[in-house]
């Protein structure tokens, strides 16, 4: 009996099979008694659901979708308090964006942030969740510890990390100095690492900020993956074990495929977060936001600066449209990539 | 019982009538405790003197302030009278956030004669868009205890002395600084020091008189900039962001006492008095190589928004309030409560104030202070800050970096002139 057979046997168990469908049909038959509008119970339930959904839907349309179109509309005009005095520019701002080197820097930075943050969160989040899933003692405590950074305000996180990264006072450089002294004394000078400027160096700053973001957001990923892991029925593992699967096979052929929807969620959420990155960047270098030399600048921050430090709200709206298109493309591609369903 | 009901009705009608006759004015500034308190006191007095007007104050954190203004006015909400940094005026005015002061309440010739010359920067195209309650200049704050420990009884008067003292007060252990003589902060006040102080001291005005052309790309300008970056790279008097945080150079000077000297504005007097637990002093900025003194002057101005011009009664009330908060009495109260210098010539000329050990250096500096004609303060600050960072962090040649800055800033000026 192979691994596949065992799994097939399980999907044929009545619990996952037709019994639920039968109950549903039963309900429909009860609801199918002659009535004035001849609506089945299922249809009426659905109508009620739509009625309740309508309120958040209107709310969402009015506060989210409509402003998004407004932003597109604004991006076609020069900005003025009085709408009558806004000058129509058409695609003018979009042409300006082509020649805006600071925007290009923000764009490449943002993609680089996503390229670092998303895989790091996926791997670390899953890894920690797998370990926590094994731990049975104090699991809630560990979960709380990993989750704590996620609920800490970005400003506080940035402040503490700013000190840790400090070239002259930071704990990380304190460690590097102790480390270097240790190896120098033992005649291994090639292990010496000089103190680093981190946030003060245009070549290091983006990576330093990305580390902070991963650290801060990791707890959320861990909780999502833990929930996903606990949602995988134990019997799959039991069946696979009966078939003689080792722990790698269990992970590769049971855990990973069944976690696919959770992983898709995780990747999409963290990608959107990375593409909209703002809070951590703003707070970690408060006096030169996005600096030094635009090395940590993101599209969202650039949009904010154009809108609220330079009062160029029309151009900022064009940048928002760019960000919107970028997020939409990336998300659609990811959905396509992750949408294969796994069924056993 | 009937009488009582009738009396109550009459009272209600009277109150309603009174309320209808009252004009409400909303005033906005950013949140800073001393400024908020001073304005509350002014509002209380104003409301008492003008029963037909009710002024209300709202404040927002500094970082959210422009955002609040930008979003509220297009929605028809927000302030009637608003406080703004003078360097923001061009961008605010271009988008219609501030209106010219109405001529029937403000006589430009009289304002020219009574306010300090710097207040001209509240004009665009010859029209006043607001008025300051207070003005500020820059000074060199120093830690007297640290200086005297190193054997210096008086603060530096020239740049040479500044270099000598700052060097003596800088302690480096291995690759790291433990204490620095000078809290380098190009993003703080020092982009102004480079622009308006050093360039002039080395022999060039930073901009043409009409403010449309960058002139600091001259030899003197390059020399001035190279002198500034040399203080960091060559003399190692300090490092940027020595103490992390929003304004680490202030914290290092006031609280941690590991920074001996900083350049800061007169607006920092109050906070320094409240925080510093050591002997400190303040002095005029160092004199240039050929004896030239220069300083950067600036101010926050109070202006009227489109809301204030909605109807004549409102315009009159807003104008009255603006006149009141820029009156001599208001300026004296502001000096007492906030510690900022009055913006009227008659008050600045007060010999007692000029002799004050703390206010004196700032008052004397006002005589030779220049207020940069900004078109886009935040973008122009970034240009200078990046020029410094290119040299200090990336090792770019000061001349190349400075010429790039000049080209970038000229592009901003040209963009605005369009």
């Amino acid at each position: 009996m192979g691994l596949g057979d065992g799994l097939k046997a399980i999907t044929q168990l009545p619990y996952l099979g037709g019994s639920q469908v039968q109950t549903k049909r039963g309900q429909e038959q009860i609801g199918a008694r002659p009535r004035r509008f001849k609506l089945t119970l299922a249809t009426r339930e659905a109508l009620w659901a739509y009625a309740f959904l309508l309120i958040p839907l209107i709310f969402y349309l009015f506060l989210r979708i409509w402003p998004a179109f407004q932003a597109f509309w604004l991006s076609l005009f020069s900005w003025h308090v009085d709408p009558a005095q806004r000058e129509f520019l058409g695609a003018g701002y979009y042409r300006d964006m082509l020649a805006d080197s600071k925007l290009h820097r923000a764009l490449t930075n943002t993609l680089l942030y996503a390229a670092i943050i998303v895989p790091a969160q996926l791997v670390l989040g899953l890894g920690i969740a797998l370990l926590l899933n094994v731990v049975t003692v104090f699991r809630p405590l560990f979960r709380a510890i990993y989750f704590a950074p996620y609920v800490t305000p970005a400003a506080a996180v940035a402040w503490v990390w700013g000190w840790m990264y400090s070239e002259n006072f930071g704990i990380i450089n304190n460690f590097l100095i102790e480390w270097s002294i240790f190896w120098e004394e033992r005649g291994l000078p090639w292990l010496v690492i000089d103190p680093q400027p981190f946030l003060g160096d245009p070549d290091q700053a983006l990576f330093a900020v990305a580390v902070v973001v991963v650290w801060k957001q990791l707890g959320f990923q861990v909780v999502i993956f833990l929930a996903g892991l606990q949602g995988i029925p134990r019997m799959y593992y039991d069946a696979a074990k009966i078939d003689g699967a080792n722990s790698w096979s269990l992970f590769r052929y049971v855990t990973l495929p069944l976690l696919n929807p959770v992983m898709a969620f995780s990747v999409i959420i963290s990608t959107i977060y990375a593409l909209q990155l703002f809070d951590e960047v703003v707070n970690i270098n408060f006096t030169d936001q996005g600096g030094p030399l635009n090395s940590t600048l993101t599209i969202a921050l650039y949009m904010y600066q154009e809108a609220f430090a330079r009062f160029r709200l029309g151009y900022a709206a064009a940048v928002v449209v760019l960000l919107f298109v970028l997020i939409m493309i990336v998300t659609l591609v990811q959905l396509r990539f992750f949408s294969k369903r796994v069924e056993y | 019982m009937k009488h009582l009901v009738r009396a109550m009705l009459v009272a209600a009608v009277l109150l309603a009538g009174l309320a209808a006759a009252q004009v409400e004015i909303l005033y906005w500034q950013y949140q800073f405790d001393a400024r908020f308190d001073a304005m509350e006191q002014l509002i209380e007095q104003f409301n008492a003197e003008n029963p037909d007007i009710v002024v209300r104050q709202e404040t927002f954190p500094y970082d959210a302030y422009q955002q609040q203004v930008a979003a509220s006015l297009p929605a028809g909400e927000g302030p009637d009278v608003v406080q703004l940094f003078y360097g923001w005026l061009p961008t605010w005015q271009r988008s219609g956030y501030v209106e010219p002061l109405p001529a029937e309440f403000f006589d430009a010739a009289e304002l020219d004669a009574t306010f300090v010359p710097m207040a001209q920067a509240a004009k665009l195209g010859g029209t006043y868009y607001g008025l300051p309650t207070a003005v500020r200049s820059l000074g060199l704050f120093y830690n007297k205890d640290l200086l005297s420990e190193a054997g210096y009884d008086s603060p530096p008067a020239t740049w040479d002395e500044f270099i000598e003292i700052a060097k003596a007060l800088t302690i480096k252990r291995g690759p790291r600084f433990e204490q620095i003589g000078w809290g380098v902060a190009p993003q703080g006040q020092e982009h102004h020091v480079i622009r308006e102080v050093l360039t002039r001291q080395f022999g060039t005005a930073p901009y043409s008189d009409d403010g449309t052309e960058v002139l600091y790309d001259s030899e003197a300008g390059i020399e001035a900039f190279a002198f500034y970056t040399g203080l960091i790279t060559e003399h190692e008097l300090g490092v940027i962001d020595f103490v992390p945080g929003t304004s680490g150079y202030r914290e290092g000077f006031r609280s941690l006492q590991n920074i001996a000297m900083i350049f800061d504005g007169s607006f920092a007097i109050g906070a320094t008095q409240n925080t510093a637990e050591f002997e400190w002093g303040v002095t005029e900025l160092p004199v240039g190589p050929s004896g030239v003194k220069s300083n950067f002057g600036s101010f926050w101005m109070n202006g009227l928004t489109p809301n204030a011009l909605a109807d004549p009664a409102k315009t009159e009330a807003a104008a009255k309030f603006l006149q009141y908060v820029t009156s001599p009495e208001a300026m004296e109260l502001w000096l007492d409560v906030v510690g900022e210098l009055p913006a009227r010539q008659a008050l600045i000329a007060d010999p007692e104030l000029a002799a004050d050990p703390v206010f004196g250096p700032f008052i004397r500096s006002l005589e030779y202070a220049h207020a940069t004609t900004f078109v886009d303060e935040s973008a122009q600050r970034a240009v200078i800050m990046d020029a410094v960072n290119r040299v200090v962090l990336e090792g770019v040649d000061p001349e190349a970096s400075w010429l790039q800055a000049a080209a970038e800033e000229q592009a901003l000026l040209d963009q605005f002139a369009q």
Side-chain angles (χ1 to χ4, degrees):
Chain A
M1 201 171 157
L3 178 62
D5 295 355
L7 289 176
K8 208 178 280 168
I10 282 177
T11 48
Q12 282 162 2
L13 287 172
Y15 172 69
L16 290 169
S19 61
Q20 279 180 322
V21 180
Q22 272 173 5
T23 0
K24 215 174 175 188
R25 251 183 224 142
Q27 278 177 346
E28 275 174 30
Q29 277 159 6
I30 297 164
R33 273 179 297 169
R35 274 183 181 262
R36 245 209 294 185
F37 298 113
K38 295 206 167 113
L39 292 176
T40 62
L41 178 66
T43 317
R44 278 186 290 126
E45 276 178 350
L47 278 178
W48 271 113
Y50 281 120
F52 281 113
L53 280 175
L54 200 62
I55 295 160
L57 185 73
I58 290 169
F59 190 73
Y60 191 76
L61 279 174
F62 188 69
L63 287 176
R64 287 277 175 159
I65 309 290
W66 170 236
F69 282 105
Q70 274 185 317
F72 179 71
W73 184 245
L74 277 184
S75 73
L76 306 175
F77 294 86
S78 71
W79 177 250
H80 197 281
V81 168
D82 178 5
Q85 295 190 48
R86 290 174 197 166
E87 194 189 329
F88 183 73
L89 298 173
Y93 283 139
Y94 293 91
R95 272 197 299 275
D96 290 352
M97 284 183 358
L98 293 176
D100 185 347
S101 60
K102 200 171 171 185
L103 175 68
H104 301 164
R105 183 69 198 265
L107 186 63
T108 46
N109 282 350
T110 304
L111 293 174
L112 190 53
Y113 275 122
I116 299 168
I117 291 168
V118 176
Q121 285 196 344
L122 183 70
V123 172
L124 291 174
L126 181 57
I128 292 169
L130 284 169
L131 293 176
L132 283 184
N133 207 30
V134 180
V135 172
T136 46
V137 189
F138 296 130
R139 188 193 286 166
L141 177 70
F142 283 115
R143 210 169 39 194
I145 289 171
Y146 280 105
F147 201 65
Y150 182 71
V151 290
T152 310
V157 167
W159 191 80
V160 171
W161 276 90
W163 273 95
M164 297 200 334
Y165 276 137
S166 165
E167 186 171 4
N168 292 286
F169 307 104
I171 193 168
I172 302 175
N173 276 327
N174 286 350
F175 170 78
L176 287 180
I177 284 176
E178 293 299 323
W179 165 277
S180 300
I181 291 170
F182 179 85
W183 291 112
E184 217 154 41
E185 282 170 356
R186 277 153 191 80
L188 292 166
W190 52 276
L191 279 168
V192 166
I193 306 169
D194 287 334
Q196 298 297 314
F198 298 116
L199 296 169
D201 182 339
D203 294 330
Q204 297 181 2
L206 186 143
F207 299 96
V209 175
V211 167
V212 178
V213 177
V214 171
W215 177 81
K216 178 162 162 36
Q217 297 295 317
L218 197 57
F220 179 72
Q221 303 285 333
V222 169
V223 168
I224 294 292
F225 278 120
L226 261 182
L229 287 173
Q230 282 162 15
I232 300 174
R234 283 231 53 87
M235 50 196 163
Y236 286 134
Y237 291 107
D238 294 339
K241 275 181 198 155
I242 291 167
D243 290 343
N246 60 22
S247 53
W248 168 249
S249 301
L250 284 180
F251 176 71
R252 172 68 187 81
Y253 296 104
V254 180
T255 310
L256 218 46
L258 287 167
L259 267 185
N260 194 50
V262 178
M263 273 163 45
F265 176 77
S266 151
V267 166
I268 289 169
I269 288 290
S270 63
T271 306
I272 292 174
Y273 189 87
L275 294 179
Q276 293 183 340
L277 197 60
F278 179 80
D279 282 355
E280 287 85 349
V281 183
V282 162
N283 286 295
I284 208 152
N285 188 345
F286 213 86
T287 46
D288 183 7
Q289 291 175 342
L293 294 169
N294 301 324
S295 57
T296 59
L297 186 69
T298 64
I299 297 183
L301 175 56
Y302 184 62
M303 179 272 289
Y304 180 85
Q305 288 175 342
E306 287 294 303
F308 301 122
R310 302 188 66 193
F311 275 41
R312 299 182 69 209
L313 275 85
Y315 189 66
V319 175
V320 169
V321 172
L322 172 78
L323 184 59
F324 170 74
V325 171
L326 180 74
I327 291 176
M328 196 169 68
I329 292 173
V330 171
T331 308
L332 286 178
V333 168
Q334 286 177 340
L335 274 177
R336 211 176 164 78
F337 184 72
F338 277 105
S339 62
K340 47 176 182 171
R341 279 233 156 277
V342 178
E343 307 254 357
Y344 281 124
Chain B
M1 189 62 193
K2 238 183 193 173
H3 288 292
L4 185 65
V5 172
R6 195 178 295 162
M8 278 170 72
L9 272 175
V10 170
V13 169
L14 278 177
L15 276 175
L18 190 65
Q22 270 185 340
V23 183
E24 249 193 62
I25 297 294
L26 184 57
Y27 178 81
W28 275 19
Q29 64 170 336
Y30 74 90
Q31 176 57 38
F32 187 91
D33 286 346
R35 302 171 80 91
F36 177 82
D37 293 342
M39 190 49 72
E40 283 294 294
Q41 292 183 32
L42 288 175
I43 288 172
E44 202 178 312
Q45 291 173 16
F46 180 82
N47 284 345
E49 285 169 27
N50 298 276
D52 54 335
I53 305 173
V54 183
V55 182
R56 225 156 33 84
Q57 172 176 221
E58 282 179 3
T59 59
F60 301 92
Y62 180 82
D63 306 295
Y65 185 61
Q66 290 211 77
Q67 184 187 349
Q68 291 289 340
V69 173
S72 68
L73 284 170
E77 306 282 327
D80 303 294
V81 183
V82 69
Q83 198 178 74
L84 66 149
F85 185 61
Y86 88 97
W88 300 345
L89 176 59
T91 46
W92 284 40
Q93 186 269 342
R94 186 173 41 176
S95 304
Y97 285 84
V98 273
E99 298 284 351
L101 296 186
E104 64 258 49
F105 301 105
F106 297 94
D107 176 19
E110 194 202 316
L111 298 179
D112 286 345
T114 51
F115 278 77
V116 290
M118 196 196 295
Q120 296 287 324
K123 278 184 186 173
L124 274 181
T127 311
Y128 275 103
Y129 278 84
L131 287 172
T133 300
V135 292
R136 40 246 284 216
S137 58
L138 301 181
L140 179 67
F141 288 72
Y142 61 97
N143 184 322
K144 274 187 189 167
D145 293 348
L146 287 179
L147 257 70
S148 55
E149 269 171 41
Y152 296 98
D153 294 330
S154 57
T158 65
W159 284 108
D160 285 342
E161 288 174 22
F162 174 76
I163 294 171
E164 185 194 326
I165 296 177
K167 218 174 239 177
L169 289 166
T170 299
I171 304 169
K172 201 175 182 185
R173 198 145 298 174
R176 304 213 287 180
F177 290 93
E178 275 182 6
Q179 176 180 300
I180 56 177
W182 163 44
V184 189
Q187 77 287 354
Q189 302 303 317
E190 286 162 17
H191 66 102
H192 299 305
V193 172
I194 298 170
R195 209 195 312 257
E196 291 292 353
V197 181
L198 286 170
T199 53
R200 290 179 193 275
Q201 291 182 336
F202 279 78
T204 180
Y207 306 95
S208 60
D209 285 342
D210 60 357
T212 58
E213 210 185 319
V214 167
L215 298 181
Y216 59 67
D217 52 353
S218 61
E219 207 156 297
I222 295 167
E223 218 182 309
F225 179 68
F227 174 79
Y228 177 84
T229 54
L231 297 176
I232 309 165
T233 55
E234 192 189 316
H235 297 293
E236 293 199 320
L237 305 183
V239 285
I240 301 172
D241 285 335
F242 178 61
V243 174
T246 307
S247 42
Y249 65 106
R250 288 179 174 144
E251 205 188 329
F253 174 75
R254 291 176 197 159
S255 308
L256 305 173
Q257 296 185 48
N258 53 15
I259 297 177
M261 298 185 279
I262 59 168
F263 296 102
D264 210 342
S266 43
F267 44 85
I269 293 172
T272 311
Q273 277 167 340
N274 291 339
T275 325
E277 289 176 344
F278 55 91
E279 286 292 312
W280 61 278
V282 66
T283 186
E284 289 173 68
L285 298 185
V287 177
S290 52
V292 176
K293 288 182 165 191
S294 187
N295 203 301
F296 169 72
S298 64
F299 55 89
W300 285 74
M301 56 195 268
N302 297 294
L304 304 182
T305 70
N307 291 351
L309 303 190
D311 67 76
K314 201 152 207 187
T315 311
E316 191 185 337
K320 247 184 174 173
F321 180 61
L322 182 52
Q323 284 167 345
Y324 184 77
V325 296
T326 54
S327 65
E329 308 83 73
M331 290 184 185
E332 275 164 359
L333 186 142
W334 201 265
L335 175 70
D336 278 348
V337 179
V338 187
E340 286 194 301
L341 312 174
R344 283 175 180 269
Q345 281 179 344
L347 297 170
I348 282 291
D350 178 5
E352 202 182 311
L353 200 55
D356 187 280
V358 174
F359 291 119
F362 294 104
I363 297 269
R364 292 195 290 279
S365 302
L366 282 178
E367 287 166 26
Y368 53 83
H370 302 268
T372 310
T373 319
F374 285 110
V375 299
D376 188 341
E377 192 259 346
S378 82
Q380 287 173 283
R381 177 181 47 198
V383 165
I384 307 277
M385 206 160 65
D386 287 354
V388 175
N389 277 336
R390 277 194 296 270
V391 176
V392 176
L393 304 180
E394 295 193 318
V396 172
D397 175 52
E399 180 173 349
S401 181
W402 194 234
L403 292 179
Q404 183 183 335
E408 286 171 2
E409 192 165 13
Q410 186 64 56
L412 287 171
L413 298 181
D414 293 345
Q415 195 185 5
F416 190 79
Q418 276 172 13

